[in-house]
Amino acid sequence: MPRRRDSVLEALEILRQAEPAISLTHTLAFLYICENEGLNVSELAEVCRTTIATASRTARALTAPNSPDSLKPAAGWVESRTNPTDSKGRVLYLTPTGRNLRDRIDIVIRASQPIVQPDDPGAPVRLRRAS
Amino acid sequence: MRLRAHITIDIDAADFVSAAEHQRRVESILAMVKQDYSQANLELRERRERTDAPSGVRPAKPGRPTGALNHYEEFSLAASS
C-alpha cells in the first residue's frame, strides 16, 4: 500500500516541482522569506548563516526572470522592493506565485505527516500501535 | 572532441629539501605519462596554509534592521517531549 511522504519531503517536492533547479540554499532562503516578509538581504544573510554576497545572489535567483539583476534559476517566488524606511535599501517580499507556494507548503505542514509510521518495523516503541 | 585530464596530488612536505624530493618523484611519474601523452605538462606550486577563519564564511555585517525579522529560538528535543 503506498504511503504518503512526510511533511518535509512533501514540501521539498512541491518546491522541486515548481522549480526543478532549486537548491537547498534557495529553499532555506525562500522559507525564511516566507516567515519574515519585508526583511533585507543583510537579515537574510544572518538567518541563513551566510555572507551578504551569497544571500544577495540567492535572493536574486528567487526573483522573476524579468526582474533587474535576476539570476538563474529565476524562480519568480520573491520580489525586491525599495525599503519604505530607507530609500537606499531593498527588502524582500513574496510574489503571488511565492505566496501560493507558501500556502501549499503550509497545508502540508499542518497535515503533519511524520517520517516514522507506527507500523514501521523500526518505529520507536512510543509510536507503535498496541496489538 | 577535446579533453583535458588533471591529476591532482596534494603533498605535505616538511621543508624545501623534502619538497624537492617530491618534485623529482612527480617528474619521474610525468616521464611515464609522457610515454603515452607527449604533450603532458607538470605544474607544481606551493599552496598557502588555510587560515582558521576562512573568509568565505565570515558572519554577515549587521545592517540597518527592518523590524521584519523574527527572533528564532533553537529547537530542543528535551523541551518538546
Side-chain angles (χ1 to χ4, degrees):
Chain A
M1 183 179 169
R3 64 162 285 175
R4 285 173 59 192
R5 294 186 186 92
D6 68 76
S7 295
V8 175
L9 209 46
E10 192 65 50
L12 293 175
E13 286 293 349
I14 287 172
L15 293 174
R16 185 161 69 169
Q17 199 175 33
E19 175 48 69
I22 213 71
S23 72
L24 179 61
T25 304
H26 298 134
T27 301
L28 277 172
F30 173 69
L31 293 174
Y32 272 120
I33 295 167
C34 286
E35 288 194 359
N36 302 278
E37 274 197 87
L39 84 172
N40 60 30
V41 171
S42 172
E43 290 168 329
L44 182 64
E46 182 187 332
V47 284
C48 289
R49 296 175 196 177
T50 185
T51 61
I52 292 173
T54 299
S56 174
R57 279 197 303 274
T58 307
R60 287 162 61 194
L62 293 173
T63 60
N66 58 354
S67 303
D69 300 329
S70 178
L71 293 174
K72 287 182 180 178
W77 304 343
V78 168
E79 62 184 352
S80 168
R81 299 183 197 163
T82 304
N83 187 344
T85 61
D86 176 10
S87 59
K88 283 187 278 183
R90 308 283 294 174
V91 284
L92 303 167
Y93 283 90
L94 298 179
T95 61
T97 307
R99 205 155 284 148
N100 177 271
L101 270 176
R102 178 201 63 188
D103 293 346
R104 287 173 61 195
I105 291 170
D106 213 35
I107 290 168
V108 167
I109 292 170
R110 286 175 198 282
S112 189
Q113 185 70 16
I115 296 175
V116 181
Q117 303 290 316
D119 296 331
D120 285 350
V125 174
R126 65 186 165 83
L127 291 180
R128 285 186 206 152
R129 289 198 180 104
S131 54
Chain B
M1 184 187 294
R2 299 181 70 203
L3 301 173
R4 175 172 289 171
H6 288 277
I7 300 171
T8 305
I9 309 173
D10 286 326
I11 301 168
D12 286 318
D15 49 36
F16 282 106
V17 176
S18 170
E21 174 61 26
H22 281 292
Q23 184 174 354
R24 277 193 292 276
R25 288 167 64 180
V26 174
E27 282 170 348
S28 70
I29 294 168
L30 177 70
M32 288 193 292
V33 173
K34 280 196 166 190
Q35 290 173 7
D36 286 335
Y37 302 98
S38 59
Q39 290 176 318
N41 280 315
L42 170 66
E43 183 190 330
L44 190 71
R45 58 189 170 86
E46 187 181 355
R47 299 181 70 198
R48 290 188 178 177
E49 293 286 334
R50 191 178 283 270
T51 59
D52 287 341
S55 59
V57 292
R58 61 174 179 257
K61 288 178 192 165
R64 198 168 165 186
T66 59
L69 188 62
N70 290 296
H71 174 71
Y72 286 95
E73 60 179 357
E74 298 304 319
F75 179 75
S76 163
L77 278 177
S80 68
S81 59

